[in-house]
Amino acid sequence: MPILRVERDGFRLDGEPFRIISGGLHYFRVHPAQWRDRLRKARLLGLNTIDTYIPWNLHQPRPDTFRWDGGLDVAAFIDLAQAEGLHVLLRPGPYICGEWEGGGLPSWLLAYPDIRLRSSADPRYLAAVDDFFGELLPRVLPFLGTNGGPVLAVQVENEYGAYGEDPAYLQHLVASLREHGVDTPLFTCDQPGDLTRGSVPGVLSTVNFGSKVASGLAALRAHQPEGPLMCTEFWNGWFDRWGGVHVVRDSAGAAADLDAVLTAGASVNLYMFHGGTNFGFTNGANDKHTYRPTVTSYDYDAPLDEAGDPTPKYAAFREVIARHAPVPDELLPAPSKKLNLRGIALDQVAPLLDNLDRLGPSARSDRPLTMEELGQDFGFVLYETRLGTPGPAVLHLAEIRDRAQIFLGGQPVGVLERESHEHTLAFAVPPGGAELTLLVENQGRVNYGDGIHDRKGLPGPVAVNGLPLMGDWRSRPLPLADPPALPYRDVDRAIPLVGPAFHRGTFDVEEPADTFLDLTGWTKGNAWINGFHLGRYWSRGPQRSLYVPGPVLRPGSNEIVLLELHASSCTSVDLRDAPDLGPIEE
């Protein structure tokens, strides 16, 4: 049995000295049909371990609903890792950060207006964590090293020292893991300056950094005089945000720092080995003074790119690892075949505002209801009320979470964005009054810092001309987990389409393969192929194409649907054989 021991002078595996050389690979960011391929490429890099978070919000989307199937079959993923000869580091949170929606915390917790997340002070939160662990851990216990499985160790929370100082909370998590049968070593991870606040007595501390290797390891050794040195997140790349540039890290510099970690005798986990994709609505956001949502791609400039192909960083890291540990003497995999198909016509359209009754019921109240009050995780909320007084009107939204498109009488009059710190819009109400409609998009709940208490929709008051707009509000949840079944009509190019609409087309494929959906000419929205939600697109960039996993396609006819929120200068899209993640940071 591969039992890991934490000794004064390092790790022991089955009694022998052992160094963890691991890489981050999140099963929930990779199509399950591609798990085996990515794990094999991890082993060929020279890794002996795979690290994965576990996203609470996907596994428990509602308090009484759990999901462990398909792309969320964590047991199947661990089983495949073991079959590939890889060990596993398990990081169940409950908070995971990871640039993931809400840091992995389920949105339904925020239905409690005064809840305190990641705190021992709120019994409702602790009870929810225990409930989740009670469902999750029995599924992974057979895979613990003590039971003959590949899981070497389990993480407690995630970078808690950067959030707060609550020893009782961390102790509660340790006790809950132990009570549910986790008898492998436990560990925490924090940045060098946060080690004291994030540590737990009797639990191994590890450190996170991307450079300054000597000082990072020295901080860990000063905090923890004995035991293994380990960097649990060696940041070999970085993530992108909408409106920014594509961030990359020089391969030679990253390889030199990796070499310094291994030369120091430390264990390491590459964050990320393979980033994958924030499919659907799952991207997170940051909110340090200004709200910044993360893009759909989680390529992360990793050794294995978003499509699972080795990059120059893969070769550089493999050379470094070979200096310190055995590397398989096998041929490296060639890049996968890519599909190239131009001019796919999206010749059918269904305007969103014309089909509201087919998109689900609305809830009536005297004010707009938040997503959490509506029992909704992701997507949009459409708010409607009537303005009866004609003349100039100044609309003020106290809080916008996160982007509001505003319509008067069905016609667009403006957009207000949280990211731009916008709150006020002026327009004229016609004689006889008009229907006021606001389509509000959740662009990703904040995944880091105090901002994780991030309720979506319109959480604050709405006013017109300085007076509260109270009365008959209709709040319609639009989760859009799947493209809706709507009555489409042929596109009439002589009549410009105003406002959000679903666009649909079909294309034929002889042999399915990975490809990239090029959305040049489209403005902002979401894309589905054969019902699989590829994620968000936005002309703001930097990302200009969406990764399409080959297993999503099928021989013969395939369907593509876009929800375009504004307008398009074209009526077609391309499938290309290379990604466009945008201009690179200088």
Side-chain angles (χ1 to χ4, degrees):
M1 293 190 297
I3 298 176
L4 186 73
R5 301 292 185 197
V6 176
E7 305 289 354
R8 294 177 59 184
D9 59 346
F11 290 119
R12 294 280 195 280
L13 188 65
D14 296 337
E16 298 296 324
F18 181 71
R19 187 201 324 237
I20 296 170
I21 303 178
S22 176
L25 172 57
H26 301 156
Y27 59 94
F28 47 93
R29 281 181 159 131
V30 179
H31 193 285
Q34 297 171 326
W35 287 347
R36 187 184 299 274
D37 171 78
R38 307 312 193 244
L39 290 164
R40 176 173 177 263
K41 290 168 180 172
R43 180 180 61 80
L44 293 181
L45 180 62
L47 305 183
N48 56 32
T49 304
I50 278 294
D51 150 278
T52 187
Y53 285 133
I54 293 177
W56 182 7
N57 56 355
L58 292 193
H59 285 292
Q60 192 179 5
R62 308 305 316 155
D64 58 352
T65 303
F66 291 88
R67 285 196 55 204
W68 309 101
D69 59 335
L72 294 176
D73 191 344
V74 60
F77 176 78
I78 298 173
D79 198 42
L80 284 174
Q82 185 173 26
E84 195 61 47
L86 294 165
H87 304 294
V88 175
L89 297 176
L90 213 56
R91 306 173 76 184
Y95 164 82
I96 63 172
C97 186
E99 291 72 57
W100 189 254
E101 222 267 358
L105 300 176
S107 65
W108 48 263
L109 290 170
L110 297 173
Y112 298 108
D114 58 343
I115 196 164
R116 296 178 63 180
L117 303 176
R118 304 180 73 190
S119 171
S120 65
D122 199 315
R124 296 166 298 184
Y125 173 72
L126 296 180
V129 171
D130 292 341
D131 184 43
F132 171 58
F133 279 179
E135 292 286 336
L136 164 68
L137 295 176
R139 288 173 167 79
V140 300
L141 289 181
F143 297 99
L144 298 183
T146 47
N147 293 321
V151 176
L152 298 179
V154 175
Q155 183 172 295
V156 180
E157 242 271 353
N158 187 59
E159 290 192 327
Y160 190 74
Y163 180 79
E165 190 168 5
D166 187 349
Y169 169 56
L170 296 176
Q171 290 281 14
H172 178 93
L173 296 181
V174 170
S176 184
L177 290 168
R178 294 303 191 202
E179 288 168 5
H180 284 101
V182 175
D183 55 1
T184 61
L186 303 178
F187 64 99
T188 59
C189 73
D190 288 280
Q191 297 175 48
D194 302 323
L195 286 163
T196 300
R197 291 186 299 276
S199 65
V200 184
V203 171
L204 179 70
S205 293
T206 70
V207 68
N208 297 344
F209 53 73
S211 59
K212 301 179 180 178
V213 174
S215 62
L217 293 178
L220 177 59
R221 182 52 77 217
H223 167 73
Q224 187 172 256
E226 297 178 341
L229 288 172
M230 180 163 180
C231 177
T232 292
E233 292 188 13
F234 173 68
W235 303 316
N236 49 254
W238 205 246
F239 59 93
D240 296 342
R241 65 172 180 84
W242 291 115
V245 295
H246 177 43
V247 182
V248 300
R249 184 177 180 193
D250 173 67
S251 294
D257 282 337
L258 175 60
D259 188 62
V261 173
L262 296 176
T263 299
S267 289
V268 68
N269 177 63
L270 307 178
Y271 193 97
M272 298 289 295
F273 159 67
H274 173 54
T277 309
N278 297 314
F279 293 119
F281 295 113
T282 57
N283 66 277
N286 286 281
D287 191 16
K288 187 176 182 180
H289 310 303
T290 296
Y291 174 82
R292 304 288 195 194
T294 303
V295 303
T296 298
S297 172
Y298 202 62
D299 176 89
Y300 213 84
D301 191 35
L304 212 61
D305 70 14
E306 189 175 10
D309 292 330
T311 68
K313 195 171 287 181
Y314 186 102
F317 281 15
R318 193 169 190 263
E319 182 179 337
V320 168
I321 293 169
R323 298 178 202 150
H324 301 273
V327 171
D329 185 18
E330 299 178 37
L331 289 176
L332 294 179
S336 63
K337 178 183 176 182
K338 304 296 190 300
L339 189 68
N340 213 346
L341 188 61
R342 307 295 177 91
I344 300 171
L346 303 186
D347 49 12
Q348 293 187 308
V349 66
L352 185 144
L353 297 182
D354 293 350
N355 289 282
L356 291 181
D357 289 342
R358 295 182 175 91
L359 293 173
S362 60
R364 290 183 177 268
S365 60
D366 62 357
R367 60 170 178 81
L369 301 177
T370 66
M371 273 194 178
E372 294 72 26
E373 290 173 315
L374 292 165
Q376 180 182 353
D377 295 325
F378 313 125
F380 301 77
V381 179
L382 190 131
Y383 299 101
E384 298 172 285
T385 193
R386 186 162 185 83
L387 299 181
T389 304
V394 176
L395 175 70
H396 181 80
L397 307 178
E399 293 184 79
I400 304 161
R401 304 288 181 84
D402 302 299
R403 189 173 189 269
Q405 293 175 246
I406 300 157
F407 305 84
L408 194 65
Q411 298 301 305
V413 293
V415 176
L416 295 176
E417 292 186 336
R418 174 183 184 182
E419 183 173 359
S420 301
H421 304 279
E422 298 170 338
H423 296 275
T424 303
L425 183 70
F427 48 79
V429 180
E435 192 79 3
L436 175 68
T437 303
L438 301 95
L439 181 62
V440 180
E441 179 184 3
N442 165 11
Q443 293 191 117
R445 289 184 178 84
V446 172
N447 56 254
Y448 190 81
D450 292 337
I452 58 174
H453 297 79
D454 191 13
R455 295 168 178 86
K456 296 302 189 181
L458 296 177
V462 177
V464 172
N465 295 336
L467 299 175
L469 189 55
M470 303 288 287
D472 185 18
W473 278 95
R474 282 153 286 151
S475 302
R476 188 186 307 269
L478 301 175
L480 299 181
D482 304 295
L486 298 176
Y488 283 83
R489 57 176 171 79
D490 292 340
V491 172
D492 186 345
R493 300 191 182 191
I495 303 176
L497 188 64
V498 177
F502 295 91
H503 300 255
R504 185 173 70 177
T506 60
F507 60 95
D508 289 332
V509 170
E510 290 186 9
E511 183 180 353
D514 284 357
T515 187
F516 300 90
L517 177 63
D518 184 341
L519 292 147
T520 301
W522 298 83
T523 304
K524 189 180 195 303
N526 296 263
W528 294 262
I529 289 184
N530 296 332
F532 184 89
H533 195 172
L534 301 177
R536 310 175 203 258
Y537 65 88
W538 199 354
S539 59
R540 182 172 291 183
Q543 181 177 0
R544 296 168 182 159
S545 64
L546 296 178
Y547 171 58
V548 183
V552 167
L553 303 178
R554 56 197 177 213
S557 181
N558 294 262
E559 179 191 65
I560 181 169
V561 173
L562 299 186
L563 169 58
E564 169 57 50
L565 296 172
H566 295 282
S568 171
S569 61
C570 58
T571 57
S572 67
V573 294
D574 295 336
L575 293 176
R576 296 182 178 265
D577 58 7
D580 185 350
L581 297 179
I584 294 173
E585 181 182 43
E586 296 295 335

